[in-house]
């Protein structure tokens, strides 16, 4: 027995099969063959979305000379950022097999409060009126209480902070307004999560009802036909319309590409040292090189002056890019490197098994709605910045449908248990390219809606077929 252990220790690549643990290495050919087998078994992930994105980019670049212009590339990044951020939050809800139809109007409420705080110089009491102001703060208090009952302490903290910001009445400040929007979003998520997870109401019914309720709140705050402008604030306007400096753009590129390379290669080398199964080194290196090269090329293009006027310089990576990257990295870390993230997948895969394993299913199910609504509030900040104002249609039906569509198109399953935060980014890119490309071709809104709907229908079909294939093969 000792000789077997010594032999295994001497050769890290040797298979140790005593307990069936993964301690074998694979060649590149074996890894490719295994990936092909997983595709045939229905585990396709975001591959269809990536292939579709490439096809759309090639198609629109051939049909429009403007599609690959520097101005349009930068505009494309900002155009899809808002819906992508909301989609990131929706991924967490979809992973447990639920749906949040109120995410769009929840973002609209957050955007309306942000704009009202700015327009009324922090005096929400005057802007809302005493009755609405009292009800609004009562909602924040209720959200804090409900989050406390569920022991979702971030929800408690954001709700209480929202009360402090509204009651004290700080003067207009873009950073306070953005923080207040996130607080409102998190508070909405606390209420939604409590009704679904604790009371046991179906998420479809609850969020549909709240979709209508929050739409009414937006109308109450802004008024029919009213508009609250925020474009005069340099900081709020720059969120979706501003750019990093050339030095800042390259710094972002180095941090993003270098960080990805360090994490990927570091994890790969650690697994090899421990004799665990990992992808072949050439494939890992190739992945790092391709993604890093892509980041370098995009950064190089965006740091070129893209202004049509010689008197004005417009260059640099748009601010929305680091915002999306931070949320992508944070969300990926939570889902893949924390116990909380693993519990989300467990609940989405089999709720009853997760409950019997000791997972606090009620708390976890409620918490994902807090994350979803908080991300919706961040998306509202980007949306409001992009158009420079907030109107009664903020967060309307298209906002929600595009956000859900982005998550599903990217590869997140509607049935729970399968998906990644990166899926929302890929799906958001697909929808942004469709909207942008058809706009450049001067297609009417009807055509854009039809094509977007067909893309979403195709994604849902692929998800259903792949799940059926997985059930048949048992992988």
């Amino acid at each position: 027995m000792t000789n077997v252990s010594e032999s295994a220790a001497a050769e890290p690549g040797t298979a140790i099969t005593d307990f069936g643990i993964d301690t074998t290495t694979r060649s590149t050919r074996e890894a490719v063959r295994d990936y092909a087998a997983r595709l045939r078994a229905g585990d396709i992930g975001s591959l269809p979305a990536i292939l579709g994105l490439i096809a759309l980019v090639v198609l629109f670049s051939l049909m429009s000379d403007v599609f690959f212009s520097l101005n349009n590339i930068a505009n494309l990044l900002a155009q899809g950022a808002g819906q992508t951020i909301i989609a990131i939050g929706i991924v967490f809800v979809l992973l447990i097999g639920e749906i949040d139809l109120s995410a769009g109007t929840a973002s609209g409420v957050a955007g309306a409060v942000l704009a009202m705080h700015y327009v009324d110089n922090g005096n929400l009491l005057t802007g809302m009126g005493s009755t609405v102001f009292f009800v609004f703060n009562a909602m924040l208090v209720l959200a804090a209480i409900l989050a406390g009952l569920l022991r979702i302490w971030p929800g408690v903290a954001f709700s209480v902070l929202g009360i402090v910001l509204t009651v004290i009445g700080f003067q207009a400040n873009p950073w306070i307004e953005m923080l207040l929007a996130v607080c409102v979003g998190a508070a909405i998520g606390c209420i939604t999560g409590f009704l679904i997870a604790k009371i046991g109401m179906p998420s479809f019914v609850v969020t549909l009802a709240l979709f209508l309720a929050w739409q009414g709140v937006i109308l109450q705050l802004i008024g029919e036909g009213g508009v609250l402008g925020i474009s005069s604030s340099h900081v709020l306007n720059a969120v979706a319309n501003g750019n990093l400096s050339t030095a800042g753009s390259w710094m972002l590129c180095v941090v993003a590409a270098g960080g990805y390379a360090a994490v990927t290669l570091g994890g790969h080398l650690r697994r090899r040292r421990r004799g665990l199964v990992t992808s072949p080194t050439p494939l890992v290196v190739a992945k790092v090189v391709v993604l890093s090269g892509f980041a370098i090329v995009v950064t190089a293009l965006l740091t070129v002056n893209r202004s049509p006027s010689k008197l004005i310089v417009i260059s640099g990576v748009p601010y929305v890019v680091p915002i999306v990257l931070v949320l992508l990295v944070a969300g990926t870390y939570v889902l893949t490197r924390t116990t909380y993230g693993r519990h989300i997948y467990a609940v989405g895969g089999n709720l009853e098994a997760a409950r019997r394993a000791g997972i606090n299913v009620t708390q976890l199910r409620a918490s994902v709605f807090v994350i979803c609504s908080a991300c919706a509030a961040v998306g509202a900040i980007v949306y409001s910045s992009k158009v420079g104002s907030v109107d009664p249609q903020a967060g309307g039906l298209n906002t929600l449908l595009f956000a859900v569509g982005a998550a599903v198109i990217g590869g997140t399953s509607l049935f729970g248990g399968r998906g990644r935060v990166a899926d929302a980014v890929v799906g958001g890119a697909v929808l942004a390219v469709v909207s942008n490309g058809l706009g450049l071709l001067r297609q009417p809104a009807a055509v854009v809606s039809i094509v977007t709907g067909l893309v979403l229908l195709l994604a849902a079909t692929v998800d259903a077929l792949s799940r059926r294939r997985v059930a048949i093969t048992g992988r």
Side-chain angles (χ1 to χ4, degrees):
M1 192 69 181
T2 305
N3 291 336
V4 173
S5 300
E6 290 175 352
S7 174
E11 300 181 33
T14 303
I16 302 176
T17 58
D18 294 19
F19 302 100
I21 58 176
D22 291 333
T23 53
T24 60
T25 57
R26 295 180 298 173
S27 65
T28 302
R29 179 178 297 179
E30 289 171 336
V32 172
R33 189 164 57 243
D34 179 65
Y35 180 67
R38 286 191 285 114
L39 290 179
R40 288 194 297 271
D43 185 10
I44 56 178
S46 58
L47 180 62
I50 294 174
L51 295 178
L53 178 61
I54 294 173
L56 287 170
V57 168
V58 172
L59 176 64
F60 286 130
S61 62
L62 293 175
M63 299 180 69
S64 173
D65 296 334
V66 185
F67 184 79
F68 263 139
S69 65
L70 295 181
N71 262 327
N72 192 58
I73 292 175
N75 181 59
L76 190 60
L77 294 173
Q79 186 174 345
Q83 67 192 25
T84 299
I85 292 170
I86 298 176
I88 287 174
I90 288 178
V91 165
F92 283 81
V93 174
L94 293 179
L95 282 175
I96 65 169
E98 302 288 357
I99 188 69
D100 189 352
L101 300 177
S102 66
T105 50
S107 73
V109 172
V113 173
L114 174 150
M116 181 171 285
H117 190 279
Y118 173 74
V119 170
D120 293 320
N121 196 27
N123 190 352
L124 289 178
L125 176 60
T126 300
M128 293 181 176
S130 57
T131 302
V132 175
F133 182 79
F134 173 79
V135 173
F136 175 75
N137 280 279
M139 185 202 77
L140 294 178
V141 172
L142 175 63
I145 294 172
L146 297 181
L149 292 175
L150 293 168
R151 292 186 295 174
I152 303 176
W153 307 123
V156 175
F158 277 114
S159 299
V160 171
L161 181 57
I163 296 170
V164 172
L165 293 177
T166 56
V167 171
I168 292 180
F170 293 97
Q171 288 189 341
N173 182 292
W175 301 104
I176 289 180
E177 273 110 43
M178 288 188 282
L179 178 59
L180 178 59
V182 176
C183 291
V184 171
I188 289 174
C190 294
I191 296 173
T192 307
F194 185 88
L195 293 174
I196 293 169
K198 191 68 175 178
I199 304 301
M201 299 170 66
S203 61
F204 181 87
V205 176
V206 171
T207 56
L208 178 59
L210 290 177
F211 168 83
L212 298 172
W214 300 138
Q215 199 165 49
V217 171
I218 298 171
L219 283 171
Q220 177 64 43
L221 294 178
I222 300 178
E224 293 190 32
V227 176
L228 299 177
I230 59 172
S231 58
S232 57
S233 170
H234 174 72
V235 174
L236 292 176
N237 181 67
V239 171
N241 302 297
N243 306 290
L244 295 170
S245 64
T246 300
S249 299
W250 282 111
M251 186 178 299
L252 174 66
C253 178
V254 170
V255 171
Y260 176 76
V263 171
T264 303
L265 294 176
H268 172 71
L269 294 175
R270 281 195 300 273
R271 291 184 67 85
R272 284 189 62 87
R273 282 198 301 268
R274 296 170 183 172
L276 300 175
V277 166
T278 184
S279 299
T281 301
L283 290 182
V284 175
V285 172
K287 188 161 119 178
V288 170
V289 169
V290 169
L291 289 178
S292 299
F294 177 76
I296 292 171
V297 170
V298 172
T299 303
L301 290 174
L302 291 176
T303 50
V304 175
N305 182 19
R306 49 184 181 269
S307 172
S309 171
K310 295 182 179 181
L311 302 177
I312 303 174
V313 176
I314 303 176
S315 64
V317 175
Y319 285 128
V320 293
V321 173
I323 294 173
V324 173
L325 282 178
V326 168
L327 292 175
L328 171 63
V329 172
T332 301
Y333 177 83
V334 168
L335 288 178
T336 60
R337 299 296 181 91
T338 67
T339 303
Y340 173 76
R342 293 301 180 187
H343 286 177
I344 288 177
Y345 283 108
V347 170
N350 191 319
L351 187 147
E352 186 57 34
R355 190 192 311 277
R356 295 188 179 190
I359 297 174
N360 189 338
V361 174
T362 300
Q363 180 192 53
L364 185 137
R365 292 178 68 218
S367 66
V368 297
F369 287 94
V370 178
I371 294 173
C372 180
S373 294
C375 286
V378 178
I381 296 171
V382 175
Y383 264 124
S384 303
S385 172
K386 183 66 179 173
V387 299
S389 63
V390 180
D391 59 44
Q393 301 302 317
L397 191 58
N398 283 345
T399 301
L400 168 69
L401 294 182
F402 283 0
V404 175
V408 176
I409 289 169
T412 300
S413 175
L414 284 166
F415 305 100
R418 191 174 67 185
R420 304 171 303 165
V421 173
D423 295 342
V425 178
V426 175
V430 170
L431 291 179
V433 168
V434 169
S435 177
N436 181 271
L438 293 177
L440 292 176
L441 297 177
R442 301 185 183 280
Q443 295 298 317
V447 174
V448 176
S449 294
I450 291 171
V451 173
T452 303
L454 291 176
V455 170
L456 177 55
L457 182 62
L458 178 62
T461 303
V462 170
D463 176 39
L465 293 177
S466 65
R467 274 195 167 267
R468 181 181 299 179
R469 184 65 179 169
V470 169
I472 293 173
T473 59
R475 287 181 68 94

